[in-house]
Amino acid sequence: MNKYRTHNCGELTKKNTSKDIILSGWVNKKRDHGNLLFIDLRDNYGVTQCVIDKSNKHFIKLEKIQLESVIKILGKVVERDKDTINLELKTGEIEVVIDTFEILGHCKELPMPIFTDQEYAEEIRLKYRFLDLRRKKIHENIILRSQVISFIRKEMNELGFLEFQTPILTSSSPEGARDFLVPSRLNPGKFYALPQAPQQFKQLIMVSGFDKYFQIAPCFRDEDARADRSPGEFYQLDLEMSFVEQEDVFNVVEKLMINLFKKFSSKKILSNKFPRIPYKEAMLKYGTDKPDLRNPLLIYDLTNVFTREDVKFDIFKKLVKSGSKVRAIVTKNTKDKPRSFFDNIDKWAKSEGGSGLAYFTIENQNEVSAKGPVGKFFSKQSLEEIMKITGAKIGDSIFFACGKIKDVEKISSLAREKIAHDLNLIDKNSFAFCWIVDYPMFEIDDDNKIKFSHNPFSMPQGDIEKIDFKNPLNIKAYQYDIVCNGIELSSGAIRNHRPELMYKLFSLAGYDKNQVDEKFSGMINALSYGAPPHGGIAPGVDRILMLLADEKNIREVTMFPMNQNAQDLMMNAPSEVSENQLKELNLSLKKRK
RNA sequence: GGGGGUGUAGCUCAGUUGGUUAGAGCGAUCGCCUGUCACGCGAUAGGUCGAGGGUUCGAGUCCCUUCACUCCCGCCA
């Protein structure tokens, strides 16, 4: 028999009545009646109420026990009286009458309470993460994480995927995020990089003929944190398949996501076939390539309306003449909303750094007219054109933004979210997945240089012999994102497995052949020894968990996260190292100013 | 790198227009209490008001600097 327990704290029921049992666990709560003491004993599996009274010689000692101490209890299971049953506990029909007990691990005075729903400061939570993790909600989130990962492994195995590990110490690559670097002792002056993703390795696995690969892969990117982005490391369900087209990857991922989200959430999935939205359309209708499709609002381009003679809104007209765009959002039946509703949104837009939003409401008093600060600038005919383009009806309101295309996309996208939020238009009980497809291969950066817009290893669309390299910005790629509820879960692509084409595309982005050979030596070399057509994707495990656990912050689904400054407050990382360690690595530190 | 928010007892927070000795709940310690499950009742201890500087007769409160945590922008192929 086990020395510490015969049962766990979540399994005793009426069936165990009169049995002598041993339980071990944490003192969750004490209720001391002076001559009668209740102790809620907690472990991973549940809580069991234990009781002792002053006739027991251990009573006085147990009365003094600190919360969160670990104790072992020997006692007898008894059925509770009907009026003392606690339906909130799985074990609520019984209690354990304590015979003797033993302290297994004493607990000092706690830096924060465990048994409470109270929020407390992140700094304390992270420093005492082992205590924080005892709390119900986050404890359950971490268990969910384990179950989700097991489920993914099982599903992927059933789909014929093989799981492989890839190196953690690898080489730095010029594209993408900032790398974490690790100095090499045996190669002074040289550095490994932690992989931002196993991108090249998984393609090499395809070249090696393994056909279908997956991995719950750690990825390291030295970028600043956000609520949904851990500093340092995160996990992806990295997968890659040979001899596939885009649709084949979509089929695997759609099936997996639906099974996963059905199993671990009761929220409904809006469509089992995820809509496919071309990048260009997404940027127009939603102002972003990660649209929240739970939000029914759409964005319309009204630039041409502002070239009409009978529209007198000169500020916008001038901007349009110099190349700016006008985008609009229609809100249904908002004619009776108070002035403050409109002004708040305008004020909010200004606080986002824009020039605010113009707006009016369409009315019909004798004839169609616009009511609002800028309404008088619009003729009846121009309003009818606006109504035709946007589908707006009498009683609806229209918000306008005007600016350079990037700025107007951004503010209209944010306004779409803000207005939907204010009008309570978003169904919080659903998951709306979609694919964003047809990404451009290249884009122009601020210095007017052509660069890869996504993954440089993506396959361009169309007949390879007929690609128009003279107009690189028109080249689309087999590059796709999967988005759920406005959160980008993943990017993927059908890869470019032809070295000549790869050199050509890299040359457009300013890399000559030698640079490509040097920077991507492993892969470009491999592709010239018989590479299969292949493609894949890498959904973010942490973000999937945030959706399933309904958490706004990635730390709530991460066992041992770092803080915003990429420090582990519990382990004191990063930390200084000894002179000797630096010497071995051939490193010396600059004096900090 | 930039912008916003927060910082008062171990924890969560209140603290009015700048005004006497900075409060509450939980926790801790001590006492009372035999059916609670957020048990109850009473008492006690516990404070560099994040830090530094300034204005003022007087600063938790106003100003400046700085630190920590956090959210956002930049960044994230």
Side-chain angles (χ1 to χ4, degrees), chain A residues 99-126:
Chain A
D99 181 23
T100 64
F101 86 104
E102 185 184 329
I103 298 176
L104 301 177
H106 173 257
C107 180
K108 295 200 290 193
E109 188 177 341
L110 292 161
M112 78 278 211
I114 307 294
F115 178 68
T116 167
D117 293 328
Q118 214 165 51
E119 298 288 322
Y120 45 78
E122 206 63 31
E123 195 176 355
I124 299 167
R125 294 186 61 187
L126 294 180

Side-chain angles (χ1 to χ4, degrees), chain A residues 182-300:
Chain A
V182 180
S184 166
R185 174 179 60 84
L186 294 176
N187 303 277
K190 293 190 176 175
F191 293 82
Y192 304 95
L194 307 183
Q196 296 184 24
Q199 179 65 38
Q200 295 192 56
F201 289 112
K202 71 172 170 178
Q203 293 193 238
L204 291 165
I205 289 170
M206 294 300 101
V207 177
S208 309
F210 289 101
D211 203 67
K212 291 195 186 83
Y213 142 90
F214 86 101
Q215 178 182 196
I216 308 295
C219 304
F220 306 89
R221 296 179 190 173
D222 187 2
E223 293 300 331
D224 288 353
R226 290 287 182 279
D228 64 350
R229 202 166 79 199
S230 289
E233 59 190 81
F234 61 97
Y235 283 80
Q236 289 181 340
L237 163 57
D238 194 42
L239 67 94
E240 196 77 6
M241 309 159 73
S242 288
F243 306 109
V244 290
E245 296 180 277
Q246 190 165 287
E247 279 300 316
D248 299 306
V249 178
F250 287 6
N251 284 338
V252 165
V253 175
E254 281 183 11
K255 204 179 290 171
L256 179 73
M257 289 296 159
I258 287 168
N259 288 345
L260 185 64
F261 278 71
K262 274 194 177 147
K263 181 167 173 73
F264 292 103
S265 176
S266 54
K267 296 186 183 182
K268 63 176 180 289
I269 297 171
L270 283 187
S271 52
N272 277 354
K273 189 83 178 165
F274 302 168
R276 284 116 217 252
I277 306 171
Y279 172 81
K280 233 177 150 174
E281 183 187 330
M283 295 309 289
L284 176 63
K285 284 163 81 170
Y286 311 105
T288 173
D289 63 349
K290 37 185 180 180
D292 185 347
L293 295 189
R294 294 174 305 171
N295 179 344
L297 299 176
L298 293 176
I299 297 165
Y300 299 92

